[in-house]
Amino acid sequence: MSLQASKGYLLLVEDERNLARYLQLELENEGFSMDVEYDGASGLEKALANEYDLILLDVMLPELSGIELCRRLREVNDVPIIMITARGEVPDIVTGLDSGANDYLAKPFAIEELFARIRALLRHRESKAIQEILVGNLRIQPNARRVFLVEKEIMLTPREFDLLDYLVQHKEQALSREQILTSVWGFDFMGNTNIVDVYIRYLRNKIESDASIKLIHTVRGIGYTLRE
């Protein structure tokens, strides 16, 4: 069960013991409660036996791969999963997301980025339990897929809503165009990253046209971020 005294109850499945120990110490110091397993079979058993708030899952694991663990877990559980991959292993990223992972992080990574991604997924999960998310002058109803600017409903296309939802999930993070394209359009999208700029413009015109506070900001040389 989730531990009320902590920021969240996490499971880490990582076979590199030095890395696992480092992540455990950093996450516990950040306020999370942790369980750690070092192979896929034990990780799956632990994941099925407990109610975790989030799972950190390495791709390359003994006994049972992280990909297969994720696939089996998704049959019975919607717990947020961050897949940890080796740098440059794009096929692992694609397969991990296709098997049900919510996000991925390539090694090596900064611990602050891991914290940010965990916070984003936990916020998004919590938002499903409430009817509305408030961001600046926006009221977002995720389950109904409706957006209101003050009291006026803003009509978004499905893709525009998915883009806004992704930006909200990763609030205050600098997101590259490639990240946005992969997560909102998917790996099989055949176009280029210019489509992201086009849809950001569409979204800005709709959600910021009557607002005194700008929400979507350009991060020079990187992409975009949403912040109040």
Side-chain angles (χ1 to χ4, degrees):
M1 297 295 293
S2 298
L3 301 181
Q4 297 299 319
S6 73
K7 291 184 177 179
Y9 186 22
L10 311 186
L11 171 64
L12 168 65
V13 189
E14 168 61 67
D15 65 324
E16 294 182 33
R17 289 180 178 261
N18 288 339
L19 176 59
R21 182 58 178 163
Y22 166 73
L23 293 177
Q24 180 182 7
L25 291 173
E26 290 290 336
L27 288 162
E28 287 178 342
N29 187 60
E30 188 67 10
F32 294 100
S33 299
M34 296 289 301
D35 284 339
V36 182
E37 295 294 338
Y38 305 102
D39 64 78
S42 299
L44 179 61
E45 182 179 358
K46 187 77 84 170
L48 294 173
N50 296 284
E51 295 182 17
Y52 293 103
D53 294 305
L54 185 141
I55 295 175
L56 299 169
L57 184 59
D58 189 23
V59 170
M60 301 300 294
L61 292 168
E63 297 192 32
L64 185 71
S65 74
I67 301 295
E68 184 60 26
L69 193 164
C70 183
R71 185 176 293 114
R72 293 188 191 183
L73 192 57
R74 274 294 171 257
E75 295 175 358
V76 297
N77 200 315
D78 65 349
V79 60
I81 295 173
I82 297 178
M83 194 75 76
I84 300 173
T85 74
R87 171 178 285 180
E89 293 183 346
V90 174
D92 284 339
I93 297 171
V94 175
T95 306
L97 293 174
D98 285 345
S99 66
N102 300 87
D103 202 354
Y104 68 89
L105 199 57
K107 300 177 183 177
F109 51 83
I111 194 66
E112 292 80 8
E113 182 178 4
L114 177 61
F115 292 161
R117 289 172 183 260
I118 290 173
R119 288 194 299 267
L121 283 175
L122 292 181
R123 280 198 306 267
H124 183 61
R125 195 180 199 200
E126 289 170 0
S127 74
K128 293 181 179 180
I130 61 176
Q131 296 302 309
E132 291 188 339
I133 303 171
L134 302 179
V135 182
N137 289 339
L138 289 182
R139 292 190 295 115
I140 303 167
Q141 298 176 351
N143 294 334
R145 294 176 68 87
R146 300 177 71 185
V147 179
F148 297 84
L149 179 57
V150 190
E151 296 302 324
K152 176 185 176 183
E153 183 167 7
I154 305 300
M155 305 308 296
L156 300 182
T157 67
R159 187 74 75 188
E160 288 167 351
F161 185 89
D162 290 341
L163 175 57
L164 177 62
D165 185 54
Y166 182 72
L167 293 172
V168 170
Q169 288 182 46
H170 297 80
K171 182 180 175 183
E172 298 183 7
Q173 293 183 44
L175 302 168
S176 70
R177 291 171 177 81
E178 290 77 11
Q179 283 178 288
I180 296 171
L181 191 68
T182 296
S183 299
V184 177
W185 277 263
F187 272 99
D188 56 352
F189 180 71
M190 299 303 294
N192 57 44
T193 57
N194 290 341
I195 193 68
V196 175
D197 300 318
V198 172
Y199 271 81
I200 287 288
R201 185 168 66 251
Y202 291 161
L203 199 53
R204 279 172 165 165
N205 288 339
K206 290 185 176 183
I207 70 172
E208 297 181 346
S209 59
D210 297 323
S212 59
I213 300 175
K214 300 299 182 182
L215 295 176
I216 302 174
H217 301 264
T218 300
V219 182
R220 191 175 301 278
I222 299 177
Y224 299 98
T225 186
L226 184 145
R227 65 174 181 267
E228 300 179 55

Coordinates of all heavy atoms in Angstrom, one line a residue, residues 65-117:
S65 N 13.2 -9.8 -19.0 CA 13.6 -8.5 -19.4 C 12.6 -7.4 -18.9 O 11.5 -7.8 -18.6 CB 13.6 -8.4 -21.0 OG 12.3 -8.4 -21.5
G66 N 13.1 -6.2 -18.9 CA 12.2 -5.1 -18.4 C 11.0 -5.0 -19.4 O 9.9 -4.6 -19.0
I67 N 11.3 -5.2 -20.7 CA 10.2 -5.1 -21.7 C 9.1 -6.1 -21.4 O 7.9 -5.8 -21.3 CB 10.7 -5.3 -23.1 CG1 11.8 -4.3 -23.4 CG2 9.6 -5.3 -24.1 CD1 11.3 -2.9 -23.5
E68 N 9.5 -7.4 -21.1 CA 8.5 -8.4 -20.8 C 7.8 -8.2 -19.5 O 6.6 -8.4 -19.3 CB 9.2 -9.8 -20.8 CG 8.2 -11.0 -20.7 CD 7.1 -11.1 -21.7 OE1 7.4 -10.6 -22.8 OE2 6.1 -11.6 -21.4
L69 N 8.6 -7.7 -18.5 CA 8.0 -7.4 -17.2 C 6.9 -6.3 -17.4 O 5.8 -6.5 -16.8 CB 9.1 -6.9 -16.2 CG 8.8 -6.8 -14.8 CD1 10.0 -6.7 -13.9 CD2 7.9 -5.6 -14.4
C70 N 7.2 -5.3 -18.1 CA 6.3 -4.2 -18.4 C 5.0 -4.8 -19.1 O 3.9 -4.4 -18.7 CB 6.9 -3.1 -19.2 SG 5.9 -1.7 -19.5
R71 N 5.2 -5.6 -20.1 CA 4.1 -6.1 -20.8 C 3.2 -7.0 -20.0 O 2.0 -6.8 -20.0 CB 4.6 -7.0 -22.0 CG 3.6 -7.5 -23.0 CD 4.1 -8.2 -24.1 NE 4.9 -7.3 -25.0 CZ 6.2 -7.4 -25.2 NH1 6.9 -8.3 -24.5 NH2 6.8 -6.5 -26.0
R72 N 3.8 -7.8 -19.1 CA 2.9 -8.7 -18.2 C 2.2 -7.8 -17.2 O 1.1 -8.1 -16.9 CB 3.8 -9.7 -17.6 CG 4.4 -10.7 -18.5 CD 5.1 -11.8 -17.7 NE 5.9 -12.7 -18.6 CZ 6.5 -13.8 -18.2 NH1 6.5 -14.1 -16.9 NH2 7.2 -14.5 -19.1
L73 N 2.9 -6.8 -16.7 CA 2.3 -6.0 -15.6 C 1.1 -5.2 -16.2 O 0.1 -5.0 -15.5 CB 3.4 -5.0 -15.1 CG 3.0 -4.3 -13.8 CD1 2.6 -5.3 -12.7 CD2 4.2 -3.4 -13.3
R74 N 1.3 -4.7 -17.4 CA 0.2 -3.9 -18.1 C -1.1 -4.7 -18.3 O -2.2 -4.1 -18.4 CB 0.7 -3.4 -19.4 CG 1.4 -2.1 -19.3 CD 0.5 -1.0 -18.8 NE 1.3 0.2 -18.4 CZ 1.6 0.6 -17.2 NH1 1.2 -0.1 -16.2 NH2 2.3 1.7 -17.0
E75 N -1.0 -6.0 -18.2 CA -2.2 -6.8 -18.3 C -3.1 -6.7 -17.1 O -4.3 -6.9 -17.2 CB -1.9 -8.3 -18.6 CG -1.1 -8.6 -19.9 CD -0.7 -10.0 -20.0 OE1 -0.9 -10.8 -19.1 OE2 -0.1 -10.4 -21.1
V76 N -2.6 -6.3 -16.0 CA -3.3 -6.3 -14.7 C -3.2 -5.0 -14.0 O -3.9 -4.8 -13.0 CB -2.9 -7.5 -13.8 CG1 -3.3 -8.8 -14.5 CG2 -1.5 -7.4 -13.5
N77 N -2.3 -4.1 -14.4 CA -2.0 -2.9 -13.6 C -1.7 -1.7 -14.4 O -1.0 -1.8 -15.5 CB -0.8 -3.3 -12.7 CG -0.6 -2.4 -11.5 OD1 -0.8 -1.1 -11.6 ND2 -0.4 -2.9 -10.3
D78 N -2.1 -0.5 -14.0 CA -1.8 0.7 -14.8 C -0.9 1.6 -14.0 O -0.8 2.8 -14.3 CB -3.1 1.5 -15.1 CG -3.8 2.0 -13.8 OD1 -3.4 1.6 -12.7 OD2 -4.7 2.8 -14.0
V79 N -0.1 1.0 -13.1 CA 0.9 1.8 -12.4 C 1.9 2.5 -13.3 O 2.3 2.0 -14.4 CB 1.7 0.9 -11.4 CG1 2.5 -0.2 -12.1 CG2 2.7 1.7 -10.5
P80 N 2.2 3.8 -13.1 CA 3.2 4.5 -14.0 C 4.5 3.8 -14.0 O 5.0 3.4 -12.9 CB 3.3 5.9 -13.3 CG 2.0 6.1 -12.6 CD 1.6 4.7 -12.1
I81 N 5.1 3.7 -15.2 CA 6.4 3.0 -15.3 C 7.3 3.9 -16.1 O 7.0 4.4 -17.2 CB 6.2 1.7 -16.1 CG1 5.4 0.7 -15.3 CG2 7.6 1.1 -16.4 CD1 5.1 -0.6 -16.0
I82 N 8.5 4.1 -15.6 CA 9.6 4.8 -16.3 C 10.6 3.8 -16.7 O 11.2 3.1 -15.8 CB 10.2 5.9 -15.4 CG1 9.2 7.0 -15.1 CG2 11.4 6.5 -16.2 CD1 9.8 8.1 -14.2
M83 N 10.8 3.6 -18.0 CA 11.8 2.7 -18.5 C 13.2 3.3 -18.5 O 13.3 4.4 -19.0 CB 11.4 2.2 -19.8 CG 12.1 1.0 -20.3 SD 11.5 -0.6 -19.5 CE 10.0 -0.8 -20.3
I84 N 14.2 2.6 -18.0 CA 15.6 3.1 -18.0 C 16.3 2.3 -19.1 O 16.4 1.1 -19.1 CB 16.3 2.9 -16.6 CG1 15.5 3.7 -15.6 CG2 17.7 3.4 -16.7 CD1 16.0 3.4 -14.2
T85 N 16.9 3.1 -20.1 CA 17.6 2.4 -21.2 C 19.0 2.9 -21.3 O 19.4 3.9 -20.7 CB 16.9 2.8 -22.5 OG1 17.2 4.1 -22.9 CG2 15.4 2.6 -22.4
A86 N 19.8 2.1 -22.0 CA 21.2 2.5 -22.3 C 21.2 3.6 -23.3 O 20.2 3.6 -24.1 CB 22.0 1.3 -22.7
R87 N 22.1 4.5 -23.3 CA 22.1 5.6 -24.3 C 22.1 5.1 -25.7 O 22.8 4.2 -26.1 CB 23.4 6.4 -24.0 CG 23.6 7.5 -25.1 CD 24.8 8.4 -24.8 NE 24.6 9.3 -23.8 CZ 25.5 10.2 -23.3 NH1 26.7 10.2 -23.9 NH2 25.2 11.0 -22.4
G88 N 21.2 5.7 -26.5 CA 21.2 5.5 -27.9 C 20.4 4.2 -28.3 O 20.4 3.9 -29.5
E89 N 19.9 3.5 -27.4 CA 19.1 2.3 -27.7 C 17.7 2.6 -28.1 O 16.8 2.3 -27.4 CB 19.2 1.3 -26.6 CG 20.6 0.7 -26.4 CD 20.7 -0.3 -25.3 OE1 19.7 -0.5 -24.5 OE2 21.7 -1.0 -25.2
V90 N 17.5 3.3 -29.3 CA 16.2 3.7 -29.7 C 15.2 2.5 -29.8 O 14.1 2.6 -29.4 CB 16.3 4.5 -31.0 CG1 14.9 4.8 -31.6 CG2 17.1 5.7 -30.8
P91 N 15.6 1.3 -30.3 CA 14.7 0.2 -30.4 C 14.1 -0.1 -29.0 O 13.0 -0.5 -28.9 CB 15.5 -0.9 -31.0 CG 16.5 -0.2 -31.8 CD 16.9 1.0 -31.0
D92 N 15.0 -0.1 -28.0 CA 14.5 -0.4 -26.6 C 13.5 0.7 -26.2 O 12.5 0.3 -25.5 CB 15.7 -0.3 -25.6 CG 16.5 -1.6 -25.7 OD1 16.0 -2.6 -26.2 OD2 17.7 -1.6 -25.3
I93 N 13.7 1.9 -26.5 CA 12.7 3.0 -26.2 C 11.4 2.7 -26.8 O 10.3 2.8 -26.2 CB 13.3 4.4 -26.6 CG1 14.6 4.7 -25.8 CG2 12.3 5.4 -26.3 CD1 15.3 5.9 -26.2
V94 N 11.4 2.4 -28.2 CA 10.2 2.2 -28.9 C 9.5 1.0 -28.3 O 8.3 1.1 -28.0 CB 10.5 1.9 -30.4 CG1 9.3 1.5 -31.2 CG2 11.2 3.2 -31.0
T95 N 10.2 -0.1 -28.1 CA 9.6 -1.3 -27.6 C 9.0 -1.1 -26.2 O 8.0 -1.6 -25.8 CB 10.6 -2.5 -27.6 OG1 11.1 -2.6 -28.9 CG2 9.9 -3.8 -27.2
G96 N 9.8 -0.4 -25.4 CA 9.3 -0.1 -24.0 C 8.1 0.7 -24.0 O 7.1 0.4 -23.2
L97 N 8.0 1.7 -24.8 CA 6.7 2.5 -24.8 C 5.6 1.7 -25.4 O 4.4 1.8 -24.9 CB 7.0 3.8 -25.6 CG 7.9 4.8 -25.0 CD1 8.2 6.0 -26.0 CD2 7.4 5.4 -23.7
D98 N 5.9 0.9 -26.4 CA 4.8 0.1 -27.0 C 4.3 -1.0 -26.0 O 3.2 -1.4 -26.1 CB 5.3 -0.6 -28.3 CG 5.4 0.4 -29.5 OD1 4.9 1.4 -29.4 OD2 6.1 0.0 -30.5
S99 N 5.2 -1.4 -25.1 CA 4.8 -2.4 -24.1 C 4.0 -1.9 -23.0 O 3.6 -2.6 -22.1 CB 6.0 -3.2 -23.7 OG 6.9 -2.4 -22.9
G100 N 4.0 -0.5 -22.9 CA 3.1 0.1 -21.9 C 3.8 1.1 -20.9 O 3.2 1.6 -20.0
A101 N 5.1 1.3 -21.1 CA 5.8 2.3 -20.3 C 5.3 3.7 -20.5 O 4.9 4.0 -21.6 CB 7.3 2.2 -20.5
N102 N 5.3 4.5 -19.5 CA 4.8 5.9 -19.6 C 5.9 6.8 -20.0 O 5.6 7.9 -20.6 CB 4.2 6.3 -18.3 CG 3.1 5.5 -17.8 OD1 3.3 4.5 -17.1 ND2 1.9 5.9 -18.1
D103 N 7.1 6.5 -19.7 CA 8.2 7.5 -20.0 C 9.5 6.7 -20.1 O 9.5 5.5 -19.7 CB 8.3 8.6 -18.9 CG 9.0 9.8 -19.4 OD1 9.5 9.8 -20.5 OD2 9.0 10.8 -18.7
Y104 N 10.5 7.3 -20.6 CA 11.8 6.6 -20.6 C 12.9 7.6 -20.3 O 12.8 8.8 -20.4 CB 12.1 6.0 -22.0 CG 12.3 7.1 -23.1 CD1 13.6 7.6 -23.4 CD2 11.2 7.5 -23.8 CE1 13.7 8.6 -24.3 CE2 11.4 8.5 -24.8 CZ 12.6 9.0 -25.0 OH 12.8 10.0 -26.0
L105 N 14.0 7.1 -19.8 CA 15.2 7.9 -19.4 C 16.4 7.1 -19.8 O 16.6 5.9 -19.5 CB 15.2 8.1 -17.9 CG 16.0 9.3 -17.3 CD1 15.6 10.6 -18.0 CD2 15.8 9.3 -15.8
A106 N 17.3 7.8 -20.6 CA 18.5 7.2 -21.1 C 19.7 7.4 -20.2 O 19.9 8.4 -19.6 CB 18.9 7.7 -22.5
K107 N 20.4 6.3 -19.9 CA 21.6 6.4 -19.1 C 22.8 7.0 -19.9 O 22.9 6.7 -21.2 CB 22.1 5.0 -18.7 CG 21.1 4.2 -17.8 CD 21.7 2.8 -17.5 CE 20.7 1.9 -16.8 NZ 21.2 0.6 -16.6
P108 N 23.6 7.8 -19.3 CA 23.5 8.3 -17.9 C 22.6 9.5 -17.9 O 22.4 10.2 -18.9 CB 25.0 8.8 -17.6 CG 25.5 9.2 -19.0 CD 24.9 8.2 -20.0
F109 N 22.0 9.7 -16.7 CA 21.1 10.8 -16.6 C 21.3 11.5 -15.3 O 21.9 11.0 -14.3 CB 19.6 10.3 -16.6 CG 19.3 9.1 -15.6 CD1 19.1 9.4 -14.3 CD2 19.4 7.8 -16.1 CE1 18.8 8.4 -13.4 CE2 19.1 6.8 -15.2 CZ 18.8 7.0 -13.9
A110 N 20.9 12.8 -15.2 CA 21.0 13.6 -14.0 C 19.9 13.2 -13.1 O 18.7 13.0 -13.5 CB 20.9 15.1 -14.3
I111 N 20.2 13.1 -11.8 CA 19.2 12.7 -10.8 C 18.0 13.6 -10.7 O 16.9 13.3 -10.5 CB 19.8 12.5 -9.4 CG1 18.9 11.7 -8.5 CG2 20.3 13.8 -8.8 CD1 18.6 10.3 -8.9
E112 N 18.3 14.9 -11.0 CA 17.3 16.0 -11.0 C 16.3 15.7 -12.1 O 15.1 16.0 -11.9 CB 17.9 17.4 -11.1 CG 18.7 17.8 -9.9 CD 20.1 17.2 -9.9 OE1 20.5 16.6 -11.0 OE2 20.8 17.4 -8.9
E113 N 16.7 15.2 -13.2 CA 15.8 14.9 -14.3 C 14.9 13.7 -13.9 O 13.7 13.7 -14.2 CB 16.5 14.6 -15.6 CG 15.6 14.3 -16.8 CD 16.3 14.0 -18.1 OE1 17.5 13.9 -18.1 OE2 15.6 13.8 -19.1
L114 N 15.4 12.7 -13.3 CA 14.6 11.6 -12.8 C 13.6 12.1 -11.8 O 12.4 11.7 -11.9 CB 15.5 10.6 -12.1 CG 14.8 9.3 -11.5 CD1 14.0 8.6 -12.6 CD2 15.8 8.4 -10.8
F115 N 14.0 12.9 -10.9 CA 13.0 13.5 -9.9 C 11.9 14.2 -10.6 O 10.7 14.0 -10.3 CB 13.7 14.5 -9.0 CG 14.7 13.9 -8.0 CD1 15.6 14.7 -7.4 CD2 14.7 12.6 -7.7 CE1 16.5 14.2 -6.5 CE2 15.6 12.0 -6.8 CZ 16.5 12.8 -6.2
A116 N 12.2 15.0 -11.6 CA 11.2 15.8 -12.4 C 10.3 14.9 -13.1 O 9.0 15.1 -13.1 CB 11.9 16.7 -13.4
R117 N 10.8 13.8 -13.7 CA 9.9 12.9 -14.4 C 9.0 12.1 -13.5 O 7.8 11.8 -13.8 CB 10.7 11.9 -15.3 CG 11.4 12.6 -16.5 CD 12.3 11.7 -17.2 NE 13.0 12.5 -18.3 CZ 12.6 12.4 -19.6 NH1 11.6 11.6 -19.9 NH2 13.2 13.0 -20.5

